[in-house]
Amino acid sequence: MSKRALLEVIALGPQDAVAAQAGGADRLELVTDMAADGLTPPRATFAAVRAAVGLPLRVMLRATDGFAAGAVGALCEEAEALRAEGAEEFVLGFLTPDGRPDLAALAALTEVIDGCRWTFHRAIDRAADRDALRKELAAAAGATGLDTYLTAGSAQGVADGLPTLLAEQARTAAGEPGYAPQILVGGGLGLGHLPALRAAGLDAFHIGGAARPAGWSAPVDAAAVAQWREALDRAMG
């Protein structure tokens, strides 16, 4: 029998967090402003969510829509404030205009979060060269704490990126340099994708809109999360 798969759910506040926990989520990605695909939440929101649930929280560090770092100094100040509030896990990831990892921005932020575990988010799906990005980050001092890549395998989503996800999981299983971080599958992920992904050994999944059948203007639905939890528990890895 395969081990229990990790289910991460996007939360915008404590109501979402409570519903996600009730539905069987294992971890939350905490963001604000999904119109911009998720930005850094206010410190007060983090504190309210932390008080509401006991789940691990990965907090987004992102100031603007897109994958440019923007004002790195201001983002570092926000990260420092969140660390002071008790944040211990983060989500970040920035690209240069030519699609390479922005190592300077990553180094600045990872110095502030000081060894905390973090996810490199779907910027990898917009990278000029996914393999080169992974290997650059594996060799970079500024990637300390990187333990996860959130990816659909393609900028177009999981349906298009499935072959890439399966190939990268095989490289992770083989211990190839640059492929040690866990693959967290998200971005257009559907229940129908789970059997193939689990059969290949992928064991971490991320949902946002799928946890909100009524749309982003409505809160997380515990029953929708439970449906995903049950589907993952049925799927064999």
Side-chain angles (χ1 to χ4, degrees):
M1 181 70 73
S2 61
K3 71 176 183 177
R4 175 181 167 100
L6 182 144
L7 177 60
E8 179 181 272
V9 177
I10 295 175
L12 303 178
Q15 184 180 2
D16 284 349
V18 169
Q21 181 170 262
D26 300 295
R27 190 170 73 199
L28 303 176
E29 180 188 88
L30 184 60
V31 307
T32 193
D33 194 358
M34 282 306 299
D37 289 329
L39 305 180
T40 303
R43 182 169 53 170
T45 301
F46 169 80
V49 171
R50 179 71 293 160
V53 297
L55 293 177
L57 305 177
R58 294 222 164 177
V59 185
M60 180 66 74
L61 296 176
R62 186 167 178 253
T64 60
D65 196 359
F67 299 112
V72 176
L75 200 52
C76 285
E77 290 177 8
E78 291 192 62
E80 189 171 14
L82 285 160
R83 284 288 289 128
E85 193 65 51
E88 298 178 335
E89 301 180 41
F90 294 91
V91 182
L92 59 148
F94 308 105
L95 301 176
T96 61
D98 62 355
R100 295 181 61 192
D102 187 337
L103 298 180
L106 292 171
L109 278 164
T110 54
E111 182 176 359
V112 172
I113 65 176
D114 191 26
C116 290
R117 291 173 295 169
W118 59 279
T119 298
F120 191 97
H121 60 54
R122 286 197 63 204
I124 188 174
D125 292 340
R126 299 284 184 179
D129 185 325
R130 297 171 64 93
D131 179 64
L133 178 143
R134 281 175 166 271
K135 289 175 178 173
E136 281 192 73
L137 288 177
T144 302
L146 170 61
D147 69 354
T148 303
Y149 281 99
L150 171 59
T151 176
S154 165
Q156 282 69 52
V158 172
D160 185 66
L162 188 59
T164 296
L165 292 169
L166 300 183
E168 290 187 349
Q169 175 61 20
R171 297 171 85 170
T172 294
E176 184 171 330
Y179 288 81
Q182 183 177 43
I183 297 171
L184 175 65
V185 182
L189 178 65
L191 289 167
H193 299 128
L194 296 183
L197 292 166
R198 291 292 283 133
L202 287 142
D203 60 4
F205 301 88
H206 168 99
I207 59 172
R212 295 168 173 79
W216 281 102
S217 61
V220 166
D221 182 336
V225 177
Q227 182 183 23
W228 278 81
R229 176 75 271 159
E230 290 161 8
L232 285 171
D233 290 347
R234 286 196 306 268
M236 296 293 291

